[in-house]
Amino acid sequence: MFTKAIVRTPCRNMVMGITTSAYLGTPDYEKALVQHKAYIKTLESLGLAVTVLPLNEAFPDSCFVEDPAVVTKECAIITNPKENSRNGEKDEILPAISMFYSEDQIFYIKAPGTFEGGDVMKAGDTFFVGRSARTNEEGIAQFASIVSAFGYKTVAVPLRQVLHLKTGADYMENDTMLLCGEFIDRPEFSNYRKIVVSEEEAYATNSLWINGKVIVPEGFPRTREALEKAGYETVVADTSEYRKIDGGLSCLSLRF
Ligand code: CIR
């Protein structure tokens, strides 16, 4: 169960966020703000106390707070985002993390390790970590060594086609994975019940389990139906403006 979340209001410069989805157009900032408020309300309705950090124009992608930190019950890890325009987000998130974790509970991924929280999927006491264009072997080794002290196992999952691991593989608790594309047949996930997402609805793979319910992005009815058929109660949130800069539901918050 989660009780808390951290989010950051998107800044106007989000229109300059890193993207591979330019074909979807430029984010509409006013609409993004409305969607962000609704996202916060949804988290609150699922029982989370949400800390809202102020917008930060220096970092166009800074609303995606999931990437500069990983939070667990026992500790928090400040990551080392690979892209220059995002790397400083690690310093901006630290004060917020320090509100909830003492100094001896906070750990750091250091260069030459690179690491982004979007690559981290926790399933029970295992952390699956995407070895991606953003998260390298050295970053994963540092992460594994930090969390092993708290009894967690780390399993690296190579990926080729998507940005982060959670772009294409998300844990829905109950031994169930929501999987798309290159992850459907990965041996690392062979022992889990699988809900397969079609290529047309690939974006909806990044749905978010919170306290027994699943938030699904708006506009992906088949994934929603598949989740409901598998026994989940779903809630819908519109993230269309974040999708335009490769952001999904999980990227917009840290949950703990
Ligand atoms: C980026 O490319 O870094 C951002 N535009 C999107 C980050 C999405 N974050 C995530 O999947 N955790």
Side-chain angles (χ1 to χ4, degrees):
M1 293 294 272
F2 297 117
T3 56
K4 298 188 255 326
I6 297 172
V7 302
R8 186 185 291 284
T9 305
C11 60
R12 266 183 199 283
N13 283 337
M14 76 176 283
V15 298
M16 296 185 316
I18 304 167
T19 189
T20 60
S21 307
Y23 66 94
L24 293 171
T26 306
D28 174 327
Y29 181 61
E30 300 305 325
K31 207 166 157 188
L33 281 179
V34 171
Q35 291 178 351
H36 202 258
K37 288 210 168 79
Y39 178 80
I40 293 168
K41 282 228 149 43
T42 303
L43 296 183
E44 287 173 343
S45 75
L46 297 173
L48 305 190
V50 183
T51 300
V52 184
L53 306 177
L55 60 82
N56 186 338
E57 295 292 355
F59 297 97
D61 283 301
S62 54
C63 58
F64 301 123
V65 287
E66 178 177 69
D67 294 318
V70 176
V71 288
T72 77
K73 290 231 163 326
E74 301 84 357
C75 66
I77 295 108
I78 303 293
T79 70
N80 191 24
K82 168 89 184 295
E83 300 295 323
N84 283 338
S85 69
R86 299 206 63 187
N87 189 259
E89 289 178 35
K90 64 183 198 279
D91 305 317
E92 304 292 326
I93 201 75
L94 181 57
I97 296 298
S98 302
M99 285 163 55
F100 300 100
Y101 295 88
S102 60
E103 222 169 279
D104 62 348
Q105 289 178 297
I106 304 177
F107 301 84
Y108 300 84
I109 304 292
K110 298 184 183 116
T114 65
F115 201 92
E116 297 189 355
D119 275 314
V120 176
M121 176 185 40
K122 182 174 173 296
D125 59 5
T126 299
F127 282 103
F128 291 99
V129 181
R131 191 164 63 233
S132 68
R134 302 282 182 90
T135 295
N136 66 13
E137 200 70 58
E138 168 65 22
I140 297 174
Q142 290 180 26
F143 180 86
S145 136
I146 294 163
V147 297
S148 72
F150 299 96
Y152 294 107
K153 190 171 107 185
T154 297
V155 176
V157 182
L159 61 92
R160 270 170 211 92
Q161 286 156 17
V162 292
L163 175 62
H164 288 126
L165 177 63
K166 285 204 297 269
T167 314
D170 287 75
Y171 190 52
M172 299 290 113
E173 302 295 325
N174 313 297
D175 292 320
T176 303
M177 296 269 179
L178 195 54
L179 300 173
C180 187
E182 64 185 302
F183 301 107
I184 297 168
D185 294 319
R186 289 283 339 162
E188 295 86 346
F189 305 139
S190 60
N191 289 334
Y192 292 89
R193 174 170 76 142
K194 296 177 189 178
I195 303 175
V196 172
V197 179
S198 66
E199 274 309 318
E200 303 79 71
E201 295 210 353
Y203 177 75
T205 316
N206 187 233
S207 289
L208 192 52
W209 181 97
I210 297 196
N211 298 344
K213 296 192 183 152
V214 179
I215 313 177
V216 184
E218 189 168 308
F220 301 91
R222 286 198 286 166
T223 305
R224 189 177 184 196
E225 210 177 283
L227 282 160
E228 295 208 332
K229 228 171 116 189
Y232 294 93
E233 195 177 320
T234 63
V235 185
V236 169
D238 193 357
T239 51
S240 65
E241 303 317 295
Y242 300 92
R243 186 183 178 199
K244 292 172 181 172
I245 47 171
D246 294 345
L249 278 166
S250 74
C251 326
L252 286 168
S253 59
L254 286 165
R255 302 146 306 270
F256 53 113

